[in-house]
Amino acid sequence: MTNRIVEHPILEVKPKKKIRFVFEEKEVEGVEGDTIASALVALGVVTMGHSLKKHRPRGFYCAIGNCASCDMTVNGIKNVRTCITPLEEKMIVKREFVEDIQDDIR
Amino acid sequence: MIYADVLIVGGGPSGLTAAKMCCEAGLSTIIVERSHILGGQLTKQTHKFFGSKDQYAKMRGIDIAVKLQEDLASFNTLTMMLETTVVGLYEDKVVTILQHNEYKKIKAKAIILATGASEKFLAFENNDLPQIVGAGALQTLVNLYQVIPGKSMVMIGSGNIGLIVSYQMLQAGIEVKKVIEATDRIGGYKVHASKLKRLGVDIQTRKTIKRAIGKDQLEAVEIVRIDENFQEIEGTSEIIETDLLCVSVGLSPLHQLASMMNCKTTYISELGGYVPLIDDHFQCSVPGVFACGDMVGIEEASSAMMEGYLAGLYTCNYLNQPHLEAESLISHYENQLYELRNGLFGRKTLRGIEKRKENLIHA
Ligand SMILES: Cc1cc2nc3c(=O)[nH]c(=O)nc-3n(C[C@H](O)[C@H](O)[C@H](O)COP(=O)(O)OP(=O)(O)OC[C@H]3O[C@@H](n4cnc5c(N)ncnc54)[C@H](O)[C@@H]3O)c2cc1C
Ligand code: FES
C-alpha cells in the first residue's frame, strides 16, 4: 500500500486493521476507516467510472457525495456513492459503464 | 412515519450547534447526515482556526468537530441518522429520507436546513479528466483518510482554501508545482501565502488554466497569462507536468432542498450563489423552515456555529418552547456574529445579507 501517508507533522498515523474486499473481480485490501473510494484511490485506481454517453473516464471529484463521479455497483446495488460509503469486509465493488478500462491497480 | 419536533438536515458545525439548542430546550430532535461521520467540512481541516474563544479559535477544525459532538452526547431526545440523505421535502414538513437503500418518511414540526456548500467548477478543455479534483475532496482524501492521490499538484485559486490546502498537501509530501490566480492579487490571508512562499511555492497572479492534457487521466496542464479583461495574452503558454490538478475557485450554497419546499431563493453573488431568503430569525419564506450556515451564504465555520445556535434558539421560540436562557444566549450569539463580520472580509457578506433581506421583503 504505497499511496498512504506514513509520516505526518500533525496527523497521527496509526497502523490500521486491513479490510479485504473484491474490486473488479480481484481480491484487494483497504483499511479500517476507509470509504470504498478512499481504499480504491490508495490502491492507485483513478478511473471511478465512465460518463453515460461518451464514455469518458470519471475520477474522484467531490468526496462529499454530491457529484456522482464515484458511483459504483456495490454488492449488486447500483449507483452507490463510494466516497461516503464505509468500506466493509467482503464487499463486491464494480465500476459502471465499463467499456475498455485498462486495469489501473498499481 | 417517524415523528420529531425538529428535523435538522446536515451535521456540520451549523447543524450540530442548532441541535444543541433544540435539545437543551427539551425538543425531540433528529439530525440527518449524508456522510458516515458528523462535522461537515470540519472533519478534514487540520489547521488551527481564527476567531474568538466562543468559536474555538486556535483549535484545529478536526478537534472542533469532536467537541461539537461531545456537546450533544448527553441528550436522549436526540437521534442521529448517519449515511442518510434527505431526498424530498414537502411544505407540510414531511421529509423523505434515503437510508441504506431504503426510503422512509419523517414528519417534523419545524425543519432546520444546514446542508452547507459545494465546490464551484471551472470551464476549460478536458476539465473532466480523472485526477482533477476539488480542494475539499483533496483535503478529505489526504487529511481524513490519509491517502495520497498523486505526486505533484497545480492549484487553481489563491483564496484561503486554495492556500491552506496547498500547504496541507506539502505537509503530506505532495509537491506543489504552482498556485495560480486569475485576478491581480492573492485572494487569501497574507499569513497563509507567506507560509507557502517560504517553502518555495510559486504563486502567480493573472494566470489561468487553458486546458488539461492527458488520455485517461491528467498528465499535464497548459497555463497562460491573462490581461485585465481575463483574455489570454498570446505567447505566454506554459505546459506543466503534474498528476493532480486542484480546483479551488469558491463554494456555492447547497440551496436545492429549500427550493424543493417552495422556500424562495435568489442569486446573491456576495453570498456565493443561490440562497434561501431568510428573515432576521433565520426563517425561510415557508413558516417553520429555518436555514443557517454556508447554505445561506458562504462564510466560515465560526459564523456557521453562531448561526446554528441562533437558528436553533429561534426554532425553539417558534415552537413555543423557548430555551431557558433564550434571551441572553440570543443577544450573546448575535453579538458574536456581528463582531465576526466586522472585519475586512465581512463587508462583502454584510452587503449580501442586506440584499437577502431586501429580496425577502419584495418576495
Ligand atoms: C479548506 C477549508 C478551510 C477552511 N478554513 C476555515 C477556518 O480556518 N476558519 C473557519 O471558521 N472556517 C473555515 N472554513 C469554512 C468552514 O469549514 C465552513 O464555513 C463550515 O464548515 C460551514 O458549516 P455548515 O455546517 O454550514 O456546512 P458543512 O460543514 O458543509 O456541513 C453540511 C453538512 O450537510 C450534509 N448534507 C448536505 N446535503 C445533505 C442532504 N441532502 N441530506 C443529508 N445531509 C446533507 C453534508 O454532508 C455536511 O456534512 C474552511 C473551509 C474549507 C473548505
Ligand atoms: S466523488 Fe463526488 S459523489 Fe463521490
Side-chain angles (χ1 to χ4, degrees):
Chain A
M1 265 181 236
T2 47
N3 298 347
R4 293 198 188 260
I5 292 178
V6 280
E7 242 185 337
H8 194 281
I10 291 166
L11 298 170
E12 195 185 343
V13 186
K14 284 186 268 190
K16 294 188 188 115
K17 208 183 119 212
K18 300 231 165 20
I19 295 184
R20 276 168 308 159
F21 68 109
V22 177
F23 176 63
E24 305 289 23
E25 279 152 28
K26 273 202 197 94
E27 219 181 278
V28 289
E29 265 176 9
V31 299
E32 206 167 45
D34 263 336
T35 56
I36 300 169
S38 72
L40 291 175
V41 175
L43 289 165
V45 175
V46 298
T47 306
M48 299 279 144
H50 279 80
S51 68
L52 264 169
K53 264 195 186 156
K54 296 194 171 164
H55 302 280
R56 286 174 66 90
R58 287 281 175 267
F60 187 86
Y61 183 71
C62 75
I64 58 167
N66 208 50
C67 75
S69 238
C70 68
D71 280 9
M72 292 191 199
T73 299
V74 178
N75 295 339
I77 298 163
K78 283 209 162 134
N79 300 332
V80 173
R81 295 276 146 99
T82 58
C83 67
I84 51 168
T85 307
L87 182 68
E88 285 167 22
E89 192 78 38
K90 299 200 178 105
M91 267 181 167
I92 299 185
V93 182
K94 282 196 175 99
R95 284 177 286 208
E96 295 168 356
F97 315 115
V98 187
E99 288 282 277
D100 45 11
I101 300 181
Q102 300 200 344
D103 231 311
D104 45 11
I105 299 180
R106 262 176 234 159
Chain B
M1 186 86 79
I2 303 161
Y3 293 90
D5 291 328
V6 185
L7 170 71
I8 300 175
V9 189
S14 63
L16 294 176
T17 46
K20 180 165 185 240
M21 295 298 107
C22 297
C23 290
E24 282 182 357
L27 296 168
S28 67
T29 307
I30 298 178
I31 300 180
V32 174
E33 166 57 50
R34 181 163 65 183
S35 175
H36 61 293
I37 39 173
L38 291 166
Q41 307 263 16
L42 293 178
T43 54
K44 55 201 182 206
Q45 288 164 12
T46 49
H47 60 284
K48 292 183 180 157
F49 274 38
F50 296 122
S52 71
K53 198 173 120 264
D54 263 319
Q55 295 117 30
Y56 306 115
K58 302 216 167 64
M59 255 171 102
R60 297 183 194 283
I62 40 177
D63 300 326
I64 301 176
V66 174
K67 173 80 185 65
L68 294 179
Q69 287 175 65
E70 283 169 2
D71 284 352
L72 295 174
S74 64
F75 297 111
N76 48 22
T77 51
L78 177 67
T79 310
M80 312 257 203
M81 296 184 175
L82 299 181
E83 289 180 71
T84 308
T85 306
V86 167
V87 291
L89 290 133
Y90 311 93
E91 266 179 81
D92 57 359
K93 303 190 185 68
V94 172
V95 173
T96 308
I97 56 169
L98 181 59
Q99 188 179 39
H100 302 130
N101 229 32
E102 216 181 299
Y103 290 95
K104 292 180 188 163
K105 283 200 187 323
I106 301 177
K107 185 161 170 59
K109 294 179 186 148
I111 292 178
I112 303 176
L113 301 171
T115 51
S118 69
E119 287 176 278
K120 285 185 184 163
F121 203 44
L122 266 188
F124 55 88
E125 191 180 323
N126 283 333
N127 68 1
D128 61 343
L129 275 179
Q131 295 292 87
I132 299 178
V133 287
L138 201 53
Q139 215 187 9
T140 307
L141 268 180
V142 172
N143 291 345
L144 189 59
Y145 300 109
Q146 308 192 343
V147 167
I148 306 174
K151 294 193 176 62
S152 65
M153 171 187 95
V154 169
M155 170 69 75
I156 310 181
S158 72
N160 275 327
I161 296 183
L163 297 177
I164 291 171
V165 173
S166 296
Y167 185 73
Q168 292 175 352
M169 294 309 114
L170 285 173
Q171 285 181 320
I174 296 174
E175 180 193 0
V176 179
K177 292 205 161 171
K178 231 183 241 321
V179 177
I180 60 168
E181 164 63 47
T183 68
D184 58 5
R185 57 184 197 95
I186 294 171
Y189 294 142
K190 218 176 150 203
V191 275
H192 295 315
S194 310
K195 253 169 139 181
L196 280 176
K197 285 182 183 163
R198 271 201 300 278
L199 291 168
V201 176
D202 195 11
I203 308 179
Q204 296 188 334
T205 53
R206 283 264 161 82
K207 290 260 170 128
T208 194
I209 176 158
K210 188 171 179 187
R211 65 184 171 119
I213 303 164
K215 192 174 161 283
D216 297 317
Q217 70 182 78
L218 183 79
E219 288 159 26
V221 292
E222 179 178 1
I223 63 171
V224 293
R225 216 178 140 70
I226 47 178
D227 61 23
E228 51 282 8
N229 301 316
F230 297 96
Q231 296 305 307
E232 177 182 350
I233 300 174
E234 288 291 322
T236 59
S237 156
E238 182 186 351
I239 306 277
I240 305 172
E241 276 180 34
T242 177
D243 60 355
L244 273 175
L245 174 69
C246 185
V247 184
S248 175
V249 291
L251 298 162
S252 55
L254 282 170
H255 64 93
Q256 290 82 351
L257 291 183
S259 313
M260 223 185 254
M261 284 187 104
N262 287 332
C263 295
K264 298 216 162 54
T265 58
T266 304
Y267 186 89
I268 300 177
S269 66
E270 287 90 343
L271 299 178
Y274 277 94
V275 288
L277 299 176
I278 51 170
D279 65 14
D280 286 340
H281 294 176
F282 296 88
Q283 191 166 208
C284 300
S285 63
V286 175
V289 180
F290 296 78
C292 55
D294 273 357
M295 164 176 204
V296 293
I298 305 301
E299 282 185 84
E300 302 229 293
S302 42
S303 39
M305 288 186 274
M306 301 304 111
E307 288 196 346
Y309 286 130
L310 287 167
L313 289 164
Y314 288 124
T315 302
C316 301
N317 287 355
Y318 168 84
L319 292 175
N320 292 322
Q321 198 164 320
H323 191 287
L324 281 179
E325 293 162 58
E327 236 171 274
S328 64
L329 287 176
I330 287 177
S331 86
H332 177 71
Y333 293 127
E334 291 284 7
N335 276 333
Q336 295 282 318
L337 207 48
Y338 176 81
E339 275 175 25
L340 278 172
R341 289 169 180 160
N342 231 351
L344 196 62
F345 280 83
R347 261 181 234 154
K348 195 169 121 193
T349 308
L350 287 175
R351 260 202 322 272
I353 290 173
E354 220 27 67
K355 283 192 190 169
R356 197 171 61 197
K357 262 194 220 161
E358 280 166 27
N359 272 289
L360 184 66
I361 295 165
H362 296 303

